[in-house]
């Protein structure tokens, strides 16, 4: 059913817009893209923004296979065992690929995946209840020195958890962390006055109805140009973001990875893509496969060290 | 708000909107009826199509799909004992026995009308008191949620009457199954025995399919002889008469109220609402012994409450910008893409858009009624298939449905295992519903308790500082005490007696 509808849609899209240029031999058949989270979430929508454009460039249909569970590790493990022939790809986020392997015993690591391209990197923001009198990060910290403030977010080891710990650490305070099912649940607790702080991607924080105080990034965000960065607010130079990228299983031929990376570049520069990403308040960032690989390896190492610093390393 | 009616009508009255409603309704009924697809997946599949549509058309498509997919689950629940969606879990209790009695057409009639009225009721609630209700939803933090879930667990008593001990044992199985997989409080994985596929925990649909559909297939295979091949009397679709409706109006309205209210509270979910409404209907019935054997009241409670959740779940989504369930998460994403930003400001700045959403929701419910009646006519012909052919088909569809949920092979093992275990339990007259109730509420129960304990620095006594929680704890304590004392405590309070009153 899902496949059928998807194919129908793809066929309509291709017929309507004129099929993309046929590339050598690859791809000859439908490409399957593993998304290790449920449909509708941040990872899934990231993939669903990219794939329609990528399909047009590659001239071949791509279908999403959602394999959710355990912080994306169920899907990522299955993906890491797939054949590296270019017909099995994965759209994976930072946590699944670079923090989970340090938290738990898993059969994959940084060598199990071949980075293809980075497409989205959403900077995180410190957000609070819009009705709160607090107007800046300094006022928040002043209050935190007075009384214990609580922060919420997904389970320990997730990036929102790590980021709130890093903020507290850098300012010499400590937040009480109350794990929730995810960002939306934590936001509800904040709006109900049961919780004080959520550190989450900027677009999500705004969509959940929270008021961001400061952006954990070096430059301001297009969707909220008034929001100061942590540097501008006179804070420590913290950089926290959640990124998403396209991966192939290790062993995928270099020429296919190169071809996919080039296609990804073309797809992420179309007007339709740029507009859709902006509407969703996401943050486009493209890195081709070689640069993404360097970036990925660095992140993997950095997060390993981070996990031991905060005492979560397995 | 009424002064914005012309503007809202201009927004939503067009040919493309009409077309979107029709397509959405039909697609919704299909994804609802097919086990393993369900509401969220249907919405996600429709999402890319809406990019190309104008705002009202896109919203019409998604609303029609949302509303009718909840209803669609009842069709397979009634006809083949397979709840198409988790929201229809309680529909099988009375819907399937009715179909087996040859009253499938009537059962579909009850379910369709109850769904329609549930949807309309919650829409009225949404229109009248959305902003006020949204504030109530925010009052429900972890501590209040824990108290509510604990209260909801007392429904186990009502679905296992006569077999209380066995019912409680079944519930314990369900509670235990809920603890498999990731622990959201620590990020660690429990009871996975280092099996990768168990590390994500169990999903509710494969369990439902195993407990109800596969166990039914095994049961039929084990008990059927040529002589007692059930002869199916009628296909088709039959609206229940007004005379049959009249004594059930109170049950209907109470179920609508329960569904709307629990729908407003994120975190407990539609499935919990269904069981609370079912237990409530049984508790108040003059003939509780008929529940589970094809009592229309049970069917009405289940179907009215699950469709009433649809309007309830829209309350926090539209008024606060907080989606209450998976369906509203997707819906909110779609609205945002079309420049309708849910939240407090929506009602002030775009009243015409809000009103047009209400109108579309009304239209979606009406279309659900029409297409439901027509579609049920087609679907119910399934019952004319000889049972020896139908059951293998059910088995195949069940397994496909179990796997389709998340492409995890463990779900096939879970469905088959649950089917075998449920078969054995049925032979020993263990009620199966408590397993599902325990499983569905188990996660929320543990999570809210532990969240509450973190917030109160591990002091359970401070849970009683919340007036809402205190009230819910008190009702729960009363009900449990009444059960232990053999119904002596609350005999004179109408509606709380667990014993059959005749």
């Amino acid at each position: 059913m899902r496949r059928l509808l998807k194919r129908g849609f793809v066929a309509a899209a291709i017929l309507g817009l004129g099929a993309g240029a046929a590339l050598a031999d690859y791809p000859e058949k439908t490409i399957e893209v593993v998304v290790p989270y449920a449909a509708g979430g941040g990872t899934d929508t990231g993939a669903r923004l990219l794939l329609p454009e990528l399909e047009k460039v590659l001239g071949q249909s791509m279908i999403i296979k959602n394999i959710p569970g355990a912080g994306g590790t169920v899907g990522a493990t299955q993906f890491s065992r797939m054949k590296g022939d270019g017909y099995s790809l994965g759209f994976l986020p930072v946590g699944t690929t670079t923090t989970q392997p340090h938290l738990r015993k898993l059969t994959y690591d940084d060598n199990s995946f071949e980075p293809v391209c980075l497409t989205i990197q959403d900077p995180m923001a410190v957000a609070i209840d819009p009705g709160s009198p607090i107007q800046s990060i300094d006022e928040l910290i002043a209050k935190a020195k007075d009384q214990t403030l609580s922060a919420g977010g997904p389970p320990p080891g997730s990036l929102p958890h790590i980021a709130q710990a890093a903020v507290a650490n850098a300012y010499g305070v400590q937040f009480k962390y109350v794990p929730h099912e995810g960002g939306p649940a934590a936001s509800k607790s904040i709006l109900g006055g049961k919780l004080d702080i959520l550190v989450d991607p900027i677009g999500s924080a705004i969509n959940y109805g929270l008021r961001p105080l400061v952006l954990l990034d070096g430059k301001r965000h297009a969707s909220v140009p008034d929001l100061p960065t942590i540097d501008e607010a006179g804070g420590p130079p913290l950089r926290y973001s959640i990124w998403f990228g396209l991966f192939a299983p290790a062993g995928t031929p270099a020429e296919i990875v190169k071809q996919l990376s080039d296609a990804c570049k073309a797809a992420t520069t179309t007007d339709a893509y740029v507009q859709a990403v902006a509407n969703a308040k996401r943050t486009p960032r493209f890195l081709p496969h070689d640069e993404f690989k360097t970036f990925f390896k660095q992140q993997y190492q950095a997060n390993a060290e981070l996990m031991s610093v905060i005492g979560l390393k397995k | 708000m009424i002064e914005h009616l012309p503007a809202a009508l201009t927004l939503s009255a067009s040919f493309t909107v009409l077309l979107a409603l029709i397509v959405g309704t039909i697609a919704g009924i299909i994804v609802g009826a097919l086990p393993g697809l369900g509401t969220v997946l249907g919405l996600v599949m429709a999402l890319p199509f809406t990019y190309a549509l104008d705002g009202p058309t896109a919203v019409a498509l998604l609303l029609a799909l949302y509303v009718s997919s909840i209803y669609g689950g009842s069709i397979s629940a009634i006809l083949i004992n397979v709840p198409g969606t988790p929201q229809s879990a309680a529909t099988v209790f009375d819907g399937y026995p009715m179909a087996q009695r040859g009253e499938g057409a009537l059962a579909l009639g009850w379910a369709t009308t109850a769904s329609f009225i549930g949807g309309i009721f919650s829409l009225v609630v949404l229109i009248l008191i959305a902003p006020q209700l949204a504030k109530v939803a925010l009052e429900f933090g972890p501590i209040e949620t824990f108290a509510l879930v604990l209260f909801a667990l007392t429904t186990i008593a009502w679905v296992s009457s006569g077999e209380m001990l066995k019912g409680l044992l079944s519930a314990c199985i369900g509670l235990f199954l809920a603890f498999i997989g990731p622990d959201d409080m620590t990020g660690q994985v429990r009871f996975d025995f280092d099996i990768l596929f168990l590390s994500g925990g169990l999903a509710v649909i494969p369990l439902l399919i195993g407990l109800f559909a596969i166990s039914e297939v095994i049961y039929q295979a084990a008990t059927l002889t040529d002589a007692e091949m059930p002869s199916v009397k009628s296909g088709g679709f039959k609206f229940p008469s007004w005379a049959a409706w009249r004594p059930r109006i109170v049950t209907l309205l109470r179920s609508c109220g329960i569904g709307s209210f629990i729908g407003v509270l994120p975190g407990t979910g539609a499935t919990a609402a269904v069981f609370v409404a079912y237990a409530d209907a049984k508790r108040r019935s003059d003939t509780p012994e008929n529940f589970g054997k094809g009592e229309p009241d049970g069917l009405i409670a289940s179907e009215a409450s699950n469709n009433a959740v649809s309007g309830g779940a829209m309350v926090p989504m539209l008024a606060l910008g907080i989606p209450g369930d998976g369906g509203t998460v997707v819906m909110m994403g779609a609205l945002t893409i079309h420049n309708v930003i849910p939240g407090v400001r929506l009602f002030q700045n775009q009243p015409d858009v809000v009103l047009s959403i209400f109108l579309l929701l009304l239209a979606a419910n009406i279309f659900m009624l029409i297409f439901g009646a027509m579609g049920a006519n087609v679907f119910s012909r399934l019952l004319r298939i000889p049972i020896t052919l139908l059951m293998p088909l059910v088995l195949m569809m069940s397994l496909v449905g179990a796997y389709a949920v998340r492409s995890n092979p463990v779900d096939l093992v879970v469905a088959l295992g649950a089917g075998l275990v449920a078969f054995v339990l049925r032979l020993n007259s263990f009620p199966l519903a408590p397993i599902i109730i325990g499983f569905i509420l188990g996660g929320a129960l543990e999570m809210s308790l532990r969240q509450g304990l973190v917030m109160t620095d591990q002091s359970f006594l401070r849970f009683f500082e919340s007036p809402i929680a205190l009230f819910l704890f008190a009702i729960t304590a009363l009900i449990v005490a009444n059960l232990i004392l053999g119904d002596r405590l609350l005999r004179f309070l109408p509606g709380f007696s667990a014993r059959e009153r005749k």
Side-chain angles (χ1 to χ4, degrees):
Chain A
M1 186 67 209
R2 174 166 36 161
R3 194 177 281 231
L4 210 67
L5 269 185
K6 185 79 195 165
R7 281 207 179 131
F9 172 64
V10 168
I14 291 175
L15 284 175
L17 291 150
L23 291 150
D25 291 341
Y26 172 84
E28 294 176 298
K29 58 175 186 183
T30 302
I31 299 168
E32 187 175 81
V33 180
V34 172
V35 170
Y37 281 88
T43 308
D44 182 71
T45 44
R48 282 177 208 269
L49 287 168
L50 174 70
L51 294 196
E53 300 305 317
L54 201 53
E55 279 173 338
K56 284 177 216 158
V57 179
L58 289 170
Q60 191 55 260
S61 59
M62 305 180 88
I63 56 163
I64 287 184
K65 191 172 183 189
N66 296 96
I67 312 179
T73 55
V74 175
T77 307
Q78 276 178 270
F79 170 61
S80 69
R81 292 172 185 163
M82 287 179 177
K83 220 161 112 187
D85 57 3
Y87 294 101
S88 301
L89 302 176
F91 192 80
L92 313 172
V94 49
T96 306
T97 51
T98 70
T99 63
Q100 292 288 351
H102 308 302
L103 289 169
R104 290 194 283 120
K105 195 175 79 184
L106 291 169
T107 55
Y108 67 82
D109 58 20
D110 55 334
N111 294 317
S112 309
F113 307 118
E114 191 59 47
V116 173
C117 61
L118 182 79
T119 63
I120 286 178
Q121 186 169 13
D122 294 317
M124 299 173 90
V126 180
I128 57 166
D129 182 356
S132 159
I134 291 171
Q135 294 300 329
S136 68
I137 181 77
D138 288 340
E139 288 176 37
L140 184 77
I141 297 302
K143 193 175 175 194
K145 287 187 171 154
D146 239 26
Q147 62 189 91
T148 310
L149 296 183
S150 48
S158 65
L159 273 151
H161 169 240
I162 295 167
Q164 62 81 31
V167 170
N169 233 342
Y171 279 100
V173 292
Q174 200 166 12
F175 303 139
K176 180 165 31 173
Y177 194 73
V178 186
H180 281 65
E181 290 84 352
S187 307
K188 192 193 139 257
S189 290
I190 291 179
L191 293 174
K194 320 271 174 193
L195 204 66
D196 304 297
I197 305 155
L198 174 69
V199 181
D200 222 21
I202 176 70
S204 313
I206 293 174
N207 283 344
Y208 301 151
L210 302 181
R211 178 157 52 89
L213 283 179
V214 70
L215 194 69
L216 303 180
D217 197 11
K219 60 175 196 301
R220 293 191 174 206
H221 196 264
S223 67
V224 262
D226 297 339
L227 182 68
T229 66
I230 184 107
D231 307 359
E232 291 169 341
L238 295 170
R239 301 286 180 271
Y240 281 93
S241 62
I242 294 191
W243 54 257
F244 305 85
L246 194 64
F247 289 83
T252 305
E255 54 273 27
I256 288 184
V257 174
K258 170 88 174 61
Q259 189 185 342
L260 283 168
S261 170
D262 292 346
C264 190
K265 181 172 189 175
T268 51
T269 45
T270 60
D271 290 346
Y273 178 80
V274 172
Q275 190 57 46
V277 168
N279 284 349
K281 294 202 180 69
R282 306 294 290 267
T283 323
R285 183 183 180 197
F286 175 76
L287 283 183
H289 71 101
D290 43 346
E291 290 173 40
F292 183 28
K293 187 161 187 165
T294 318
F295 174 75
F296 172 61
K297 294 272 180 191
Q298 277 169 0
Q299 288 266 304
Y300 192 85
Q301 269 316 314
N303 285 333
E305 287 156 26
L306 196 60
M307 291 295 149
S308 23
V309 171
I310 59 174
L312 282 170
K313 197 166 165 61
K314 69 184 174 198
Chain B
M1 179 160 271
I2 202 74
E3 69 272 16
H4 299 287
L5 193 61
L9 276 173
T10 328
L11 272 178
S12 49
S14 75
F15 178 68
T16 51
V17 167
L18 185 71
L19 203 63
L21 284 169
I22 295 174
V23 172
T25 305
I26 295 174
I29 293 177
I30 293 172
V31 294
L34 291 176
L37 293 183
T39 308
V40 178
L41 197 64
L43 288 171
V44 170
M45 269 156 47
L47 205 53
F49 295 98
T50 66
Y51 293 150
L53 304 173
D54 63 280
T57 312
V59 174
L61 181 72
L62 294 173
L63 285 178
L65 226 158
Y66 180 53
V67 168
S68 56
S69 63
I70 300 175
Y71 157 73
S74 69
I75 298 177
S76 38
I78 291 169
L79 295 178
I80 52 175
N81 209 22
V82 185
T85 60
Q87 297 102 308
S88 295
T91 307
V92 297
F93 302 158
D94 292 285
Y96 186 63
M98 277 186 85
Q100 276 185 316
R101 277 208 305 260
E103 295 173 10
L106 194 61
L108 287 171
W110 283 116
T112 311
T113 359
S115 297
F116 171 71
I117 295 172
I120 297 294
F121 182 96
S122 72
L123 176 62
V124 173
V125 170
L126 178 65
I127 294 173
L128 293 182
I129 46 169
Q132 292 85 336
L133 265 180
K135 292 204 187 77
V136 176
L138 287 181
E139 289 300 316
F140 272 72
I143 292 170
E144 292 79 10
T145 304
F146 172 72
L148 181 71
V149 171
L150 200 64
F151 167 69
L153 273 178
T154 62
T155 57
I156 290 166
W158 312 101
V159 292
S160 43
S161 60
E163 299 284 359
M164 189 64 76
L165 195 61
K166 289 179 175 176
L168 290 174
L169 281 171
S170 290
C172 289
I173 297 177
L175 283 172
F176 172 71
L177 293 177
F179 299 141
I180 297 175
D183 169 14
D184 282 343
M185 290 302 287
T186 60
Q188 297 301 305
V189 173
R190 301 180 295 193
F191 302 115
D192 68 332
F193 304 103
D194 281 333
I195 300 166
L196 168 75
F197 294 117
L198 275 180
S199 64
L202 304 185
V204 61
I205 278 280
L207 201 60
L208 267 178
I209 285 176
L211 286 179
F212 294 104
I214 295 180
S215 82
E216 176 69 15
V217 172
I218 303 172
Y219 189 80
Q220 292 279 357
T223 55
L224 192 75
T225 60
D226 284 346
E228 47 180 350
M229 283 275 281
S231 62
V232 174
K233 292 166 190 83
S234 67
F237 179 86
K238 205 159 101 194
F239 277 115
S241 68
W242 171 241
W245 262 117
R246 216 169 45 196
R248 308 184 199 280
I249 295 281
V250 179
T251 303
L252 176 73
L253 292 182
R254 290 187 62 87
S255 306
C256 289
I258 291 169
S260 302
F261 182 69
I262 296 188
V264 171
L265 308 174
T268 27
T271 323
V274 166
F275 284 110
V276 173
Y278 186 85
D280 179 77
K282 185 171 180 181
R283 192 154 59 210
R284 281 162 198 282
S285 170
D286 289 333
T287 52
E289 67 276 10
N290 288 348
F291 275 68
K293 296 174 193 153
E295 167 62 47
D297 275 2
L299 192 56
I300 293 169
S302 165
E303 280 305 305
S305 61
N306 70 17
N307 273 77
V309 167
S310 70
M314 303 281 284
V315 170
M317 193 268 269
L318 286 178
L320 296 173
I322 305 170
D325 61 6
T328 41
V329 169
V330 183
M331 194 96 70
M332 198 171 114
L335 288 174
T336 314
I337 286 167
H338 290 284
N339 281 321
V340 179
I341 315 294
V344 191
R345 274 160 303 211
L346 181 66
F347 281 76
Q348 289 152 14
N349 299 351
Q350 293 173 289
D352 51 336
V353 172
V354 174
L355 195 57
S356 80
I357 291 176
F358 292 162
L359 284 175
L360 291 172
L361 204 50
L362 175 71
N365 274 294
I366 295 172
F367 275 74
M368 178 193 79
L369 181 67
I370 299 170
F371 283 89
M374 281 160 44
N377 223 326
V378 177
F379 280 116
S380 63
R381 274 157 222 279
L382 264 181
L383 291 182
R384 298 201 177 159
I385 302 174
I387 202 145
T388 43
L389 291 179
L390 183 61
M391 285 299 148
L393 275 177
V394 170
L395 181 65
M396 191 187 78
M397 264 186 58
S398 299
L399 291 176
V400 170
Y403 185 71
V405 177
R406 47 176 191 174
S407 312
N408 188 335
V410 83
D411 289 336
L412 291 172
V413 181
V414 168
L416 284 171
L420 280 171
V421 171
F423 172 64
V424 177
L425 291 178
R426 275 172 81 161
L427 290 184
N428 293 290
S429 58
F430 274 81
L432 298 178
I435 302 182
I436 284 296
I437 298 177
F439 180 74
I440 287 169
L441 295 178
L445 182 78
E446 188 204 0
M447 187 78 181
S448 57
L449 172 63
R450 291 172 67 190
Q451 283 175 328
L453 285 174
V454 172
M455 287 179 161
T456 59
D457 295 316
Q458 314 298 327
S459 158
F460 188 75
L461 276 179
R462 280 177 57 196
F463 277 42
F464 296 98
E465 288 171 10
S466 154
I468 299 177
L470 192 62
F471 172 72
L472 288 166
F473 283 140
I475 303 185
T476 311
L478 263 178
I479 289 180
V480 173
N482 185 47
L483 284 168
I484 294 172
L485 295 175
D487 207 17
R488 274 188 286 270
L489 195 60
L490 298 174
R491 195 184 310 168
F492 305 107
L493 279 180
F496 279 99
S497 166
R499 198 188 281 167
E500 295 150 16
R501 259 176 278 151
K502 279 191 175 169

